[in-house]
Amino acid sequence: MTVNQPPSLGRKPTPRTVGRNYQSIFVMLFVSIFLVGGMSARLVYLQLLEGNRNQQLADNNRIRLIPKQPVRGNIFDRKGRVLASSRLSHAVYIWPLARKKAEWPETLKLVSKILNIPEGEIEKRLEKAGYNSPSLLRIARGITPAQITAMEEYSNQLEGVEVDIEAVRDYPNGAMAAHVLGYTGELNDEELAKRKSEGYRMGDIVGQMGVEEAFESQLRGEWGGQQVEVDGAGHVLRVLGQKKAKSGKDVQLTLDLDVQKAAEKALGEQKGAIVALNPNTGAVLAMVSRPTFDPNIFSTRITAATWKQLQGKGNPFVNRSMRGFPPASTFKVVTATAGMESGKYSPSTILPTFAALQVGGTAFGEWNHAGFGSIGFVRALAMSSNTFFGQIGRGAGGPALIEWARKYGFGQKTGIELSEEAQGLVADAAWKQKVYKWDWTVGDTVNMSIGQGFTQATPLQVAVMFAVPANGGYRVKPHLLKDNEESKSWRQSLNIKPPTLKVIRQGLREVVAAGTGKALNVPELPPSAGKSGTAEAPPGKSHAWFGAYAPADKPEIVVLAFAEHSGGGGGSVAGPMVREVMEAYFKHNNPGLIPKPKSEAPTSKPKPAARN
């Protein structure tokens, strides 16, 4: 084996070994200069050319944005009672910047299991916000105490995930007035894209229907928040800036909670609607629709199963107060007006009635299958005679009926603040030709005159119709926002002749006193006036209608009840509903108008009268 010996210190250099001892020194100097130069160049690049960017990245790692959601404004009834407010609840947030992208999957898997939210759903929200976002991202609302406990137990595995307190919407009366109040919910992607220019952001809660949607701009408030510096563990070191959240404005409605409760109870589980309003101003005192829902369920996350279950209850989110149905004999108020205002029939007109009215080969039957003899407008309204009003409609003509139907507000939106309102339908010759390719016939006019055929009216529109004779001939604009404007700002005259109004009012009073509306002829109410209606609705049972106002001489309230596919007559089915609502109104608002019970007879025997 060869062993290399170190060169002798005393050996003389040769041409081949001159400078070899300094070679390593030169190499080391060269490498040092190269490294120092490279590092200096890199520092120059990082500090001068990339300084701003790197400073931003550093700030993102230590500066955190904590948004503060505003507390939504309260909703009150006309007497200041709470209909909607806010309560404190727990929500779960994630801080995207707290973890590297590759570290999030395991965390999200655990969060998904605890909160029972699909992992993909959370991941989608995180990707949309961006993994470098310094803002907190809410992924769950209204979590349960058990979920809060689980989050705390696994906190060491949930870096970047926090549980915090926020204000959520609360409806203390549950499902009461749900269709009027509406509900709140988080913006979806489509809604966010539309409203981003208005200052909305991902995760914002907005009104989704009803008053919550209609008055969103007042109720919303303004976001606030904090910009804070945190350490590596995410602990706040100091507050760098703060903007206080501005609470939303309160909204006071025209609804009367006592009347609303009575209307809810009167309708019960019957599919349909009840509307009560002030006939002089159009202020809505109550509005009920069945089936219904509890808006509190939207204060937490709605699962697909819950949504499917809700939809299976017969479209509970449809406000039937503002959906069109055949108005049946309630429409005879319009027919009477058209007949007298056309000049073809005087208020004192008397016509014979029959078991059926024959028109173009079609028999329009009287509901009692016999007729009522020769009668005038008052008796015809009281008994709801089909053959009488069929003759009036035929004589006045289709154009006159259509004109007055539209003057009363049919076929158009009433103007109430809610976006869910339908306009109904007042058909005419052009409409029929377009839809069916057929001409308008006399039979169409007669059918329309008794509230059948193509005509579709909403319970709210029918309530507005009853307000016209109640207030002396003005069509009111129903509204929900309570204010101090004079009633003339909410109504317009239809210029109905006084004799016409007088006859219609007499007829509606006679309906209750001696006709189809005897359900309201009770001592618990002041004298009232109204009209029943029973609409054919094949293939199901008939619809029942009843509209009324009271007191008959100086009305304060109009109530309209509609019972969908209930069967039976309007007076017997919907009439008692109207009575219950009116009883509650006068009990809580004007008990002095309720007739006092007669004093009981004396218990002692009366003395015999003296003989003459």
Side-chain angles (χ1 to χ4, degrees):
M1 183 174 68
T2 304
V3 177
N4 294 324
Q5 297 291 334
S8 172
L9 292 177
R11 184 182 298 174
K12 293 181 179 181
T14 67
R16 296 183 61 184
T17 62
V18 172
R20 181 175 291 180
N21 291 337
Y22 302 101
Q23 189 175 23
S24 60
I25 297 174
F26 291 146
V27 172
M28 291 178 64
L29 285 173
F30 176 78
V31 171
S32 299
I33 292 171
F34 178 79
L35 290 175
V36 171
M39 290 175 65
S40 299
R42 181 61 179 169
L43 287 172
V44 169
Y45 173 77
L46 291 174
Q47 293 181 7
L48 298 181
L49 301 181
E50 290 285 299
N52 291 336
R53 178 177 178 275
N54 288 315
Q55 181 63 44
Q56 182 64 44
L57 289 173
D59 287 343
N60 282 346
N61 280 293
R62 66 184 182 83
I63 295 175
R64 177 171 170 183
L65 301 177
I66 304 178
K68 182 67 175 177
Q69 183 179 338
V71 176
R72 198 168 177 85
N74 299 308
I75 302 175
F76 300 103
D77 86 331
R78 66 187 303 106
K79 297 177 182 177
R81 293 168 290 193
V82 177
L83 298 175
S85 61
S86 298
R87 60 179 173 81
L88 295 180
S89 179
H90 288 82
V92 178
Y93 296 83
I94 57 177
W95 185 20
L97 194 62
R99 308 290 298 275
K100 294 179 181 178
K101 183 177 180 179
E103 296 173 343
W104 274 112
E106 286 300 317
T107 303
L108 298 186
K109 186 177 295 184
L110 180 56
V111 171
S112 169
K113 185 177 180 181
I114 295 173
L115 300 180
N116 194 27
I117 300 175
E119 184 180 343
E121 185 177 315
I122 307 174
E123 187 176 8
K124 183 179 178 181
R125 291 178 63 84
L126 180 55
E127 289 176 350
K128 187 173 180 62
Y131 285 92
N132 290 324
S133 174
S135 299
L136 290 174
L137 175 66
R138 183 179 56 234
I139 59 170
R141 306 172 65 214
I143 64 173
T144 65
Q147 290 171 328
I148 296 172
T149 301
M151 295 292 289
E152 292 176 351
E153 290 178 351
Y154 290 96
S155 59
N156 61 333
Q157 301 176 45
L158 295 174
E159 183 182 346
V161 183
E162 296 183 9
V163 176
D164 204 351
I165 294 175
E166 67 170 5
V168 299
R169 210 54 167 159
D170 181 57
Y171 303 90
N173 299 298
M176 187 168 296
H179 293 89
V180 179
L181 298 176
Y183 62 93
T184 61
E186 189 172 327
L187 283 171
N188 59 35
D189 292 346
E190 184 179 345
E191 292 168 335
L192 179 61
K194 291 179 180 178
R195 308 184 76 164
K196 209 164 188 177
S197 60
E198 302 174 41
Y200 287 91
R201 65 188 77 187
M202 188 176 179
D204 267 2
I205 305 300
V206 298
Q208 297 286 2
M209 69 175 283
V211 167
E212 294 281 19
E213 179 190 32
F215 301 111
E216 166 69 15
S217 59
Q218 295 100 306
L219 293 166
R220 177 190 177 194
E222 295 180 11
W223 278 80
Q226 287 183 328
Q227 188 179 50
V228 298
E229 184 178 359
V230 297
D231 59 19
H235 300 131
V236 176
L237 300 176
R238 59 180 176 137
V239 177
L240 302 176
Q242 181 170 335
K243 177 188 175 184
K244 288 186 177 180
K246 186 177 181 181
S247 298
K249 295 179 181 178
D250 295 338
V251 169
Q252 187 169 19
L253 302 182
T254 58
L255 290 185
D256 184 317
L257 188 57
D258 296 316
V259 180
Q260 182 72 30
K261 286 180 178 178
E264 302 265 356
K265 182 174 179 291
L267 189 56
E269 296 304 315
Q270 169 63 54
K271 184 182 287 187
I274 292 180
V275 176
L277 53 80
N278 182 320
N280 303 301
T281 66
V284 177
L285 304 175
M287 182 180 284
V288 182
S289 177
R290 290 287 189 274
T292 188
F293 63 97
D294 185 347
N296 285 301
I297 62 176
F298 293 97
S299 296
T300 58
R301 178 178 174 272
I302 295 292
T303 64
T306 302
W307 182 255
K308 184 177 181 180
Q309 183 181 7
L310 285 170
Q311 292 292 350
K313 293 182 178 180
N315 297 319
F317 299 103
V318 172
N319 188 345
R320 283 171 167 76
S321 297
M322 300 189 297
R323 286 292 179 270
F325 303 92
S329 292
T330 62
F331 191 84
K332 290 170 182 174
V333 173
V334 176
T335 305
T337 306
M340 287 182 275
E341 291 296 296
S342 70
K344 295 182 178 179
Y345 299 95
S346 72
S348 59
T349 294
I350 301 294
L351 295 175
T353 59
F354 317 96
L357 182 67
Q358 299 292 330
V359 179
T362 301
F364 293 88
E366 193 66 84
W367 63 267
N368 70 348
H369 308 294
F372 302 94
S374 294
I375 56 176
F377 279 102
V378 172
R379 179 67 174 164
L381 283 169
M383 303 313 297
S384 196
S385 172
N386 289 334
T387 59
F388 179 93
F389 285 105
Q391 294 175 79
I392 296 294
R394 181 176 61 184
L401 271 181
I402 292 165
E403 177 188 1
W404 276 101
R406 290 172 177 164
K407 283 185 177 181
Y408 268 95
F410 294 117
Q412 58 194 288
K413 294 184 178 182
T414 65
I416 195 170
E417 299 94 331
L418 306 184
S419 65
E420 300 89 8
E421 183 179 21
Q423 66 181 28
L425 173 64
V426 175
D428 55 20
W431 177 90
K432 187 181 178 186
Q433 186 61 237
K434 180 180 178 180
V435 175
Y436 292 103
K437 311 299 182 186
W438 296 340
D439 292 331
W440 188 270
T441 67
V442 176
D444 293 327
T445 300
V446 172
N447 220 12
M448 183 180 185
S449 70
I450 59 176
Q452 295 286 169
F454 305 119
T455 307
Q456 296 282 307
T458 71
L460 181 60
Q461 289 172 337
V462 178
V464 169
M465 181 201 73
F466 277 106
V468 175
N471 63 33
Y474 295 88
R475 189 178 83 199
V476 295
K477 176 183 176 181
H479 59 279
L480 286 160
L481 185 64
K482 189 176 184 299
D483 52 47
N484 296 317
E485 288 187 342
E486 296 180 3
S487 60
K488 64 182 181 182
S489 302
W490 296 101
R491 65 186 198 171
Q492 66 179 80
S493 175
L494 297 188
N495 298 314
I496 301 174
K497 296 182 182 71
T500 300
L501 277 173
K502 181 179 179 181
V503 167
I504 292 173
R505 287 174 65 102
Q506 287 175 344
L508 297 180
R509 175 70 188 114
E510 194 66 13
V511 168
V512 175
T516 59
K518 292 180 181 178
L520 272 72
N521 193 21
V522 294
E524 292 80 15
L525 288 177
S528 58
K531 182 73 187 76
S532 61
T534 306
E536 296 176 2
K541 297 179 181 178
S542 58
H543 302 320
W545 293 84
F546 199 94
Y549 56 81
D553 58 341
K554 195 175 181 181
E556 295 183 7
I557 184 172
V558 165
V559 181
L560 186 285
F562 168 71
E564 183 178 343
H565 293 302
S566 61
S572 59
V573 175
M577 297 179 183
V578 173
R579 182 185 66 223
E580 284 189 50
V581 178
M582 283 193 169
E583 287 176 356
Y585 171 82
F586 288 106
K587 176 182 177 182
H588 293 284
N589 294 281
N590 205 340
L593 291 176
I594 300 175
K596 294 181 180 179
K598 296 179 180 180
S599 58
E600 295 181 3
T603 54
S604 58
K605 294 182 179 181
K607 294 181 180 180
R611 294 175 180 238
N612 291 329

